[in-house]
Amino acid sequence: MCSVPLTTDSLVIVTATTSGNPVPSTQPLPTTLVSERGQVIGRIPVTKVSPVLEGGAYAAKATEGELLPIRATVFREGHDAVAATVVLTDPAGRETHVRMQPCEPKGFDRWEALVRPDTAGPWTFRVEGWDDPWATWVHHAEIKLPAGIDVDLVCAEGRALFTEAAEAAYEGASPGAARRLERLAEACIPGADADTLLAEALGDDAQELMAAYAPRRLVSPTPDYPLFVDRHRALFSAWYEFFPRSQGATQDPDTGEWTSGTFDSSHERLEAAAAMGFDVVYLPPIHPIGTQFRKGPNNTLTPAEGDPGSPWAIGNTEGGHDAIHPELGDFDAFDRFVAKANSLGLEVALDFALQASPDHPWVTEHPEWFTERLDGTIAYAENPPKKYQDIYPINFDRDREGIYAECLRIIRLWISHGVKIFRVDNPHTKPVEFWAWLLAEVRRTDPDVLFLAEAFTRPEMMGMLGKVGYQLSYTYFTWRNEKWELEEYVTELSTEMDTFYRPSFWVNTPDINPKFLQTSGPAGFTIRAVLAATLSPSWGMYSGYELFEHEPLKVGGEEYLDSEKYAFRPRDWSGGEQGNLNTLITMLNTVRREQPALQQLRDVHFHHAPNAQVMVYSKRDGDSRVIVVCSLDPRGVQESEVFLDLDELGLDADALFLVRDALTAQTHMWGARNFVRLTPAEPAHIFVVTPV
């Protein structure tokens, strides 16, 4: 890292060695200048490095095996050639040098390297700009030798460069490469035939050798920037949410009294989630529920005896965030639940909701953790005109040390019971400073633990939560229905926000019954599931979606009628006469697992379909290529031509290729121009591409 003590002078001089490591210097011609503000001014200027978050204050995001673009602007004075290298340092301190390539269109001095970090943990990277005398010589030789200009001088310069490269090869313990370079040096003799010399000096062997051993001069490194590589689940995941209390719940037909479902009675739901191809099962809060101001069915203020209340009103005399609702079971039952999930290839995600019911032990043991109003009462949650008397928000500015320590203790408790993923409720209503501290502490001791931010709020807050450490985030997808807004939003997520914000597309939640689904019928559920599962590498659904549940509490609202948040809701998972969406969901998760193209965020390209109700996009990762064609109309037939940019698929402009529909298993021959007909019964195609 380029780091020296700053002085009161305007600039501190630093010289980089040929390896790129800076050392203090008193030489009159510095390689790198560092201003008092820490800004690096290189002999070979390197600017606009990405991904760099807030000047390097936070680590950019990557995952194991994910293709990550590192870019920079690298330029110099005059006409001599410049080059650039990315230097990656893995968690064990091993360095890897990756040569950068000029970006298209050329002339804007942008350089890029695509890297795949292969190990989870903290990495760093820097970009080194450098003078490339070999590229300069090649340029001159290609012009001067055929024209007979300065032939002897060009030969002498080439001989010197090959000789210097040979010495570097000997130093690198590559005597075979060194001898080949010496033979190339010998070919650069005065009077040599120009065509022969060019063929020899610019041949594939020479290019390969010089790429490895040619001198790098005036190496100008940037500072080392942080990069945190998470496990693959942070990028690629399919989530299924359900309430354990509803699984196996029964109601006495005579008394109307309910018996809650339990962790043990929920094992069948784990099996169903695994069969549909999900890999994360998310549970709403499983803690004791407050009794004061408990909400009744449909969020009424008049609960009846036995109404279960909202799980988000956490805490009563039986405990708080570190306790389990006794009707669900005990810690042994929870451990059995986690073990069962793990045996099915599932991870269990817990809700982490930092709030308390009026009955929570914190209220009596730590009243200073809450906001006291002028009348002496504790302030409950409000979103006027809505009031949530059953929930007390925490005031993080009172007893900061105590609150922080307690939150970390709770997280570590559940980690000790096998929980590696947390879905955090309303993180945007807590200080960003708190999350930066908590997530850093957890990452320090348990770097494989992941956090999903449930933050539907202003873009700047959502982005900052990602920067300070949230591995995943809810998104605006739930409210994006038109073609133009979906394309605009996904483009933003995949190109502008990709290094700090990992999206998770949810088709519904217990809080959100999307208006699109309320009137769309089963076709609408298919459309939204296809879009969520293929546009984003992470997607999720709340149980009941597969049964086409859509009735709103009131017209124009987004709350479910008879919401499971306030009542037991056992279901007939067969769907009865209407059936269910299980087969489609299983197909979606299957093709996602089979195709790496659907497991990444950054490579998504929207293709042209003249019909505004037909959306066409492709995703690619290596040899994995997927084309999705999806109707946005759940009620009518939509037809359209489809014009594909085959360059984005890595195919020739006139190529013909096979596409196999992962939903129907039908195979078609496609090219750059095609035709589709989509119906409510078959509103989408997910084509896996096979070049002919």
Side-chain angles (χ1 to χ4, degrees):
M1 181 174 179
C2 184
S3 177
V4 296
L6 296 179
T7 71
T8 56
D9 299 330
S10 61
L11 295 173
V12 174
I13 296 176
V14 176
T15 297
T17 66
T18 55
S19 65
N21 296 320
V23 295
S25 171
T26 57
Q27 296 178 15
L29 296 177
T31 299
T32 304
L33 301 177
V34 181
S35 72
E36 288 183 342
R37 297 184 179 181
Q39 296 170 313
V40 174
I41 306 167
R43 170 63 182 83
I44 303 296
V46 181
T47 65
K48 300 178 183 177
V49 180
S50 69
V52 177
L53 305 183
E54 304 295 337
Y58 305 109
K61 286 180 166 58
T63 56
E64 292 174 293
E66 178 187 11
L67 197 63
L68 174 71
I70 295 178
R71 302 184 178 99
T73 296
V74 184
F75 59 96
R76 67 169 302 168
E77 80 294 342
H79 301 289
D80 284 358
V82 69
T85 302
V86 169
V87 182
L88 286 163
T89 303
D90 70 11
R94 294 182 293 263
E95 284 191 354
T96 301
H97 292 244
V98 181
R99 183 76 173 261
M100 303 180 81
Q101 300 298 324
C103 295
E104 296 292 344
K106 295 183 179 179
F108 290 91
D109 299 315
R110 289 295 286 171
W111 294 72
E112 178 183 68
L114 300 177
V115 301
R116 288 188 190 269
D118 58 2
T119 304
W123 292 59
T124 63
F125 75 92
R126 67 179 180 269
V127 174
E128 295 179 345
W130 40 280
D131 167 57
D132 188 351
W134 164 247
T136 299
W137 183 84
V138 168
H139 176 70
H140 290 166
E142 289 177 328
I143 295 173
K144 292 183 175 182
L145 291 180
I149 300 172
D150 296 335
V151 173
D152 289 351
L153 178 60
V154 171
C155 288
E157 290 171 343
R159 185 183 186 92
L161 286 171
F162 283 126
T163 300
E164 187 175 348
E167 293 172 355
Y170 278 123
E171 291 176 3
S174 299
R179 286 190 291 271
R180 287 155 60 198
L181 285 162
E182 287 174 337
R183 286 194 293 271
L184 288 167
E186 292 169 359
C188 295
I189 57 176
D193 177 71
D195 292 338
T196 302
L197 179 57
L198 283 173
E200 182 90 8
L202 304 183
D204 292 341
D205 189 49
Q207 296 287 6
E208 178 184 347
L209 289 167
M210 293 303 279
Y213 300 106
R216 300 192 315 155
R217 294 174 182 157
L218 304 178
V219 176
S220 304
T222 68
D224 285 339
Y225 294 111
L227 173 71
F228 197 90
V229 178
D230 288 299
R231 59 191 178 103
H232 191 51
R233 181 73 74 232
L235 174 68
F236 177 66
S237 55
W239 293 55
Y240 184 78
E241 176 182 3
F242 73 89
F243 286 61
R245 73 184 185 187
S246 291
Q247 312 309 311
T250 58
Q251 186 178 31
D252 188 304
D254 298 323
T255 65
E257 183 177 350
W258 281 95
T259 300
S260 173
T262 66
F263 290 128
D264 289 334
S265 67
S266 296
H267 287 200
E268 289 185 4
R269 201 74 220 131
L270 290 175
E271 294 170 350
M276 286 187 284
F278 290 100
D279 38 53
V280 178
V281 166
Y282 154 52
L283 307 182
I286 59 175
H287 315 297
I289 297 172
T291 55
Q292 290 188 64
F293 303 106
R294 176 174 288 191
K295 297 297 183 70
N298 292 314
N299 202 21
T300 65
L301 299 177
T302 55
E305 183 71 26
D307 282 340
S310 169
W312 282 272
I314 297 172
N316 61 29
T317 55
E318 294 164 320
H321 289 73
D322 54 0
I324 291 174
H325 196 302
E327 292 183 1
L328 295 176
D330 54 17
F331 274 96
D332 287 340
F334 179 76
D335 291 343
R336 288 194 297 272
F337 180 87
V338 173
K340 176 67 174 180
N342 293 165
S343 73
L344 295 167
L346 294 166
E347 292 193 57
V348 174
L350 273 193
D351 196 287
F352 185 48
L354 286 178
Q355 57 206 31
S357 83
D359 307 305
H360 197 293
W362 288 346
V363 176
T364 55
E365 296 173 6
H366 295 284
E368 71 276 10
W369 291 0
F370 304 93
T371 298
E372 183 179 338
R373 298 189 293 191
L374 289 177
D375 62 1
T377 62
I378 292 178
Y380 52 76
E382 293 185 82
N383 186 14
K386 294 182 179 180
K387 296 183 178 182
Y388 303 93
Q389 298 94 327
D390 58 336
I391 293 175
Y392 286 171
I394 296 170
N395 187 331
F396 285 80
D397 294 320
R398 307 183 73 186
D399 189 18
R400 178 180 181 274
E401 183 176 341
I403 294 171
Y404 281 33
E406 175 69 352
C407 292
L408 181 59
R409 182 188 72 84
I410 291 167
I411 289 292
R412 286 181 170 159
L413 168 68
W414 293 108
I415 291 174
S416 72
H417 285 274
V419 177
K420 298 293 185 181
I421 305 178
F422 294 88
R423 177 269 195 189
V424 179
D425 190 62
N426 290 326
H428 55 288
T429 62
K430 287 79 180 174
V432 173
E433 175 194 49
F434 163 72
W435 294 122
W437 175 85
L438 180 71
L439 300 181
E441 282 296 303
V442 174
R443 176 174 278 178
R444 182 175 59 82
T445 57
D446 298 274
D448 57 339
V449 171
L450 309 177
F451 289 84
L452 167 66
E454 186 257 357
F456 299 112
T457 186
R458 301 183 304 280
E460 283 300 319
M461 174 59 82
M462 294 171 73
M464 183 54 72
L465 290 171
K467 291 176 183 177
V468 301
Y470 272 94
Q471 285 85 3
L472 284 158
S473 303
Y474 281 30
T475 67
Y476 301 138
F477 168 77
T478 316
W479 298 277
R480 299 292 190 265
N481 299 307
E482 300 296 330
K483 178 177 177 178
W484 68 268
E485 59 185 359
L486 280 165
E487 291 182 353
E488 182 181 84
Y489 188 43
V490 172
T491 299
E492 178 186 14
L493 290 171
S494 61
T495 61
E496 299 176 25
M497 304 173 65
D498 56 301
T499 55
F500 63 88
Y501 190 88
R502 291 199 193 100
S504 187
F505 280 10
W506 284 69
V507 290
N508 70 329
T509 76
D511 297 303
I512 304 171
N513 176 12
K515 294 178 183 178
F516 180 88
L517 298 177
Q518 294 174 19
T519 58
S520 68
F525 284 76
T526 297
I527 288 169
R528 295 301 289 181
V530 168
L531 292 173
T534 58
L535 281 171
S536 172
S538 174
W539 80 296
M541 56 175 282
Y542 156 55
S543 59
Y545 185 92
E546 68 268 50
L547 301 178
F548 313 110
E549 291 179 1
H550 64 279
E551 294 292 338
L553 178 61
K554 62 181 180 180
V555 176
E558 289 186 332
E559 293 184 75
Y560 281 99
L561 179 66
D562 301 325
S563 171
E564 194 172 6
K565 292 194 299 180
Y566 310 104
F568 296 105
R569 190 163 182 169
R571 296 173 170 91
D572 174 7
W573 294 108
S574 72
E577 293 183 4
Q578 185 171 240
N580 58 47
L581 208 58
N582 290 14
T583 299
L584 172 78
I585 294 168
T586 304
M587 288 178 174
L588 290 175
N589 285 329
T590 298
V591 70
R592 281 165 49 85
R593 288 184 174 178
E594 292 175 347
Q595 294 298 322
L598 297 176
Q599 299 176 24
Q600 55 83 37
L601 172 67
R602 295 184 174 94
D603 193 311
V604 56
H605 183 80
F606 294 98
H607 301 265
H608 179 55
N611 188 335
Q613 294 297 316
V614 176
M615 192 168 176
V616 184
Y617 50 95
S618 66
K619 304 188 86 173
R620 179 187 175 198
D621 190 329
D623 294 331
S624 174
R625 303 173 177 91
V626 175
I627 301 169
V628 179
V629 182
C630 188
S631 172
L632 302 180
D633 176 11
R635 302 173 187 84
V637 175
Q638 296 292 337
E639 298 178 338
S640 181
E641 286 188 289
V642 171
F643 299 90
L644 298 177
D645 181 352
L646 297 188
D647 184 59
E648 292 294 335
L649 289 164
L651 302 173
D652 294 335
D654 58 351
L656 295 177
F657 49 92
L658 292 175
V659 292
R660 181 182 183 276
D661 192 344
L663 302 181
T664 65
Q666 294 179 345
T667 301
H668 309 275
M669 183 71 74
W670 268 34
R673 183 174 181 177
N674 312 279
F675 177 82
V676 294
R677 185 175 189 270
L678 303 170
T679 69
E682 194 173 291
H685 301 295
I686 302 176
F687 290 132
V688 177
V689 177
T690 303
V692 176

